[in-house]
Amino acid sequence: RRAQTSAKADQWPPPWAEEGNIEYKLKLVNPTQYRFEHLATQLKWRLQEGRGEAVYQIGVEDNGLLVGLTEADMRASLKTLKRMAEKVGADITLLREREVDYDLDRNTRKIAEVLVRKVPDDQQFLDLRVAVLGNVDSGKSTLLGVLTQGELDNGRGRARLNLFRHLHEIQTGRTSSISFEILGFNSKGEVVNYSESRTAEEICESSSKMITFIDLAGHHKYLKTTIFGLTSYCPDFAMLVVSANTGIAGTTREHLGLAMALKVPIFIVVSKVDLCSRGTVERTVRQLERVLKQPGCNKVPMVVSNPDDAVTAAQQFTQSACITPIFTLSSVSGESLDLLKVFLNILPPLSNSKEQEELMQQLTEFQVDEIYSVPDVGTVVGGTLYSGVCREGERLVVGPTDEGRFLRLKVGSIQRNRSACRVLRAGQAATLALGNFDRSLLRKGMVMVSPKMNPTICCQFEAAIVLLFHAKTFRRGSQVTVHVGNVRQTATVDDLHGKV
């Protein structure tokens, strides 16, 4: 018999897949002990696939058919799922329920979508990095201040003050350096931020999932800093902030082009909707839709207007490279801010556990992005572990120096999101204490690698270049700045092999 869904459930989910973190279950009513153990093992596998997160669709057959359950069966199924989650150390959150009509009995049946998330243990929370892009004065830092501090802005930039790192940033209101802000979600999907005067350590301890926002500069003068943030910190996603009253202006197109060229999935936030009429907001959204649909972009814009849209957007965003969610919100009135939080809460990681495992089995490579001198600690470097595993006391080599050599060193302590950490895994960002290692021998762009790698250096390389924009002709002898990962290096074009 054929199920006819209501307007809310206008699409069937794809057929069940063995891999991934999504599981379909028709019903989970009074399972036997043997069946319950099997279900708990299956849940453990799905959580492992989603790196601590899984989504259960209750009332759905393995082929994706929406059958639905009665009220009593649904309650019993959710109760069983809660028991399963408790057994494997996880919590459940009901994301949404949808009604399904039937041809024969016409009784209303429901399907439910449930998020299962592991309770945090030993610093192993899921960490997603989101680069924040957009034109100057579009409200990037203010939005991050509101999300991470838990207080709305006063309309004059109060929320962003805690994010600035330099006096001239406070005086001008313009970000010129890269800063990091954290937003946590606990195992029940509740926001964990600084609103209850928590420290960063407390946020890490209470969170099962962490969103690290990389606040980048919007002004054209600081474009190189923004490019460095996108190439060096390996963001999982990019959030493009567009002001509702100015629309696509300044560096907005450049930032969109950069994110697409670097293949970073992008979603858009239209801010400052409290400043202008509904017609102006709609005009800005239509302008964005036109740009996204152009042949160069080939994106499918998806305007998020309710919690159901936010859930759908989060799930489809990582499954399809062309989906681009658009949020319209205000950091002053708080309008639609919850929809963005729902989206960030459900947003799954791009890499699955298998890909993560493969990266961890490779030799250690840590990219140096920041260098500090800390009293009583010594030299400290900050950056991202590109591959392998790094432990306290590990011996690595760092380089290349000006002479092209690699120097031996020992990793002292490790800190992740300002709290101590014994083991660092591939893809995670952290700071490493190097004790009395001479800071003057280090510079940004260096790598710390396993001695087994036998690293070599190169002074010349070949590259396939796509010219996005250039004011003059690009020819032999042209001087350029090359951004490769965390490396920023000036170079000269020796030869051109032909145009395509």
Side-chain angles (χ1 to χ4, degrees):
R1 51 186 182 168
R2 184 172 60 86
Q4 292 180 334
T5 61
S6 64
K8 289 180 183 175
D10 55 354
Q11 54 191 4
W12 290 3
W16 175 86
E18 195 173 320
E19 292 182 349
N21 69 334
I22 297 175
E23 178 70 40
Y24 297 161
K25 283 282 174 258
L26 185 56
K27 60 168 115 175
L28 299 166
V29 180
N30 297 328
T32 61
Q33 187 59 35
Y34 175 78
R35 170 77 175 147
F36 180 79
E37 293 294 335
H38 173 73
L39 289 168
T41 306
Q42 195 178 43
L43 173 58
K44 205 170 184 178
W45 160 253
R46 290 296 181 190
L47 285 169
Q48 190 181 330
E49 281 287 284
R51 291 165 59 188
E53 286 185 350
V55 174
Y56 268 61
Q57 309 258 12
I58 310 288
V60 182
E61 288 188 355
D62 285 352
N63 62 1
L65 185 68
L66 307 178
V67 176
L69 296 178
T70 60
E71 191 70 41
D73 280 354
M74 182 58 77
R75 274 204 308 270
S77 296
L78 290 174
K79 193 175 177 182
T80 303
L81 185 57
K82 193 170 192 305
R83 277 177 54 216
M84 287 159 53
E86 284 169 356
K87 184 172 176 62
V88 299
D91 278 324
I92 69 168
T93 309
L94 183 64
L95 295 179
R96 56 182 173 178
E97 280 188 322
R98 295 186 284 180
E99 291 183 356
V100 181
D101 295 331
Y102 257 71
D103 289 342
L104 302 176
D105 49 19
R106 303 300 295 172
N107 289 335
T108 301
R109 290 171 172 243
K110 288 182 178 178
I111 61 167
E113 208 165 332
V114 184
L115 176 70
V116 186
R117 181 177 285 160
K118 273 189 80 67
V119 175
D121 59 335
D122 190 32
Q123 277 267 314
Q124 294 313 309
F125 46 78
L126 177 61
D127 192 4
L128 299 182
R129 286 191 289 277
V130 178
V132 185
L133 302 167
N135 189 38
V136 65
D137 299 332
S138 59
K140 299 184 294 299
S141 299
T142 300
L143 174 60
L144 293 194
V146 169
L147 286 172
T148 58
Q149 305 296 324
E151 284 185 19
L152 294 174
D153 188 51
N154 63 351
R156 294 188 298 279
R158 182 182 63 191
R160 69 189 177 192
L161 291 177
N162 291 323
L163 276 68
F164 289 148
R165 297 174 67 184
H166 305 292
L167 179 62
H168 70 264
E169 291 181 326
I170 296 171
Q171 289 167 343
T172 62
R174 288 177 178 173
T175 304
S176 65
S177 61
I178 299 170
S179 63
F180 296 86
E181 292 302 318
I182 54 173
L183 173 68
F185 292 96
N186 64 18
S187 54
K188 294 175 183 173
E190 298 161 341
V191 171
V192 184
N193 57 20
Y194 290 106
S195 60
E196 294 172 24
S197 66
R198 287 186 172 92
T199 61
E201 291 92 330
E202 284 180 42
I203 292 176
C204 293
E205 285 167 11
S206 310
S207 301
S208 294
K209 180 178 189 174
M210 190 78 76
I211 307 288
T212 303
F213 291 105
I214 307 164
D215 190 18
L216 302 174
H219 201 282
H220 196 277
K221 187 165 68 172
Y222 308 118
L223 187 62
K224 284 181 182 175
T225 305
T226 301
I227 294 171
F228 177 71
L230 278 173
T231 56
S232 176
Y233 294 109
C234 312
D236 298 291
F237 307 101
M239 176 168 77
L240 181 70
V241 183
V242 179
S243 176
N245 55 349
T246 58
I248 298 174
T251 54
T252 305
R253 284 178 193 272
E254 280 179 278
H255 285 186
L256 178 62
L258 282 169
M260 289 181 61
L262 294 166
K263 295 184 170 58
V264 180
I266 195 162
F267 62 95
I268 297 173
V269 170
V270 178
S271 63
K272 303 186 182 182
V273 298
D274 56 296
L275 285 180
C276 41
S277 65
R278 176 55 53 190
T280 307
V281 175
E282 286 172 1
R283 192 163 64 246
T284 301
V285 171
R286 280 198 304 271
Q287 187 186 14
L288 281 165
E289 287 176 337
R290 275 199 307 274
V291 169
L292 291 169
K293 288 176 182 175
Q294 284 174 356
C297 290
N298 288 327
K299 298 284 187 185
V300 179
M302 179 181 180
V303 180
V304 177
S305 53
N306 57 53
D308 200 55
D309 287 348
V311 174
T312 306
Q315 291 173 351
Q316 292 190 357
F317 183 48
T318 49
Q319 290 168 6
S320 171
C322 58
I323 298 287
T324 304
I326 300 175
F327 297 84
T328 55
L329 52 81
S330 167
S331 299
V332 175
S333 67
E335 182 186 335
S336 299
L337 209 57
D338 286 342
L339 298 184
L340 183 60
K341 290 176 185 173
V342 168
F343 175 79
L344 293 169
N345 176 36
I346 302 164
L347 197 59
L350 286 175
S351 61
N352 58 30
S353 57
K354 191 177 176 183
E355 291 168 355
Q356 181 74 3
E357 205 66 43
E358 286 172 3
L359 266 179
M360 283 166 58
Q361 285 169 5
Q362 294 174 17
L363 291 172
T364 305
E365 182 181 336
F366 182 87
Q367 299 183 341
V368 178
D369 299 325
E370 301 280 349
I371 303 160
Y372 317 96
S373 290
V374 180
D376 302 326
V377 177
T379 304
V380 174
V381 293
T384 308
L385 188 67
Y386 186 74
S387 63
V389 175
C390 183
R391 295 179 174 83
E392 287 182 356
E394 188 142 353
R395 295 187 182 277
L396 303 171
V397 292
V398 65
T401 60
D402 292 340
E403 301 83 38
R405 295 189 301 116
F406 282 78
L407 308 170
R408 294 180 176 276
L409 55 78
K410 183 182 175 184
V411 176
S413 58
I414 302 172
Q415 282 208 343
R416 216 181 135 209
N417 284 323
R418 297 163 208 166
S419 43
C421 171
R422 289 185 177 276
V423 182
L424 191 63
R425 292 171 171 80
Q428 295 178 344
T431 51
L432 313 181
L434 306 180
N436 57 4
F437 191 87
D438 188 359
R439 179 185 169 166
S440 65
L441 298 173
L442 296 170
R443 59 191 169 91
K444 292 179 186 179
M446 281 185 166
V447 286
M448 289 164 50
V449 297
S450 167
K452 293 177 186 173
M453 199 179 278
N454 293 324
T456 55
I457 64 162
C458 72
C459 298
Q460 201 169 10
F461 63 93
E462 287 187 8
I465 291 175
V466 178
L467 202 59
L468 299 175
F469 170 78
H470 201 277
K472 300 172 186 172
T473 54
F474 186 77
R475 59 180 185 275
R476 186 176 176 180
S478 294
Q479 292 185 331
V480 294
T481 302
V482 181
H483 292 260
V484 182
N486 67 331
V487 176
R488 284 183 291 184
Q489 180 64 53
T490 51
T492 306
V493 179
D494 274 355
D495 201 8
L496 289 171
H497 294 306
K499 293 179 282 186
V500 179

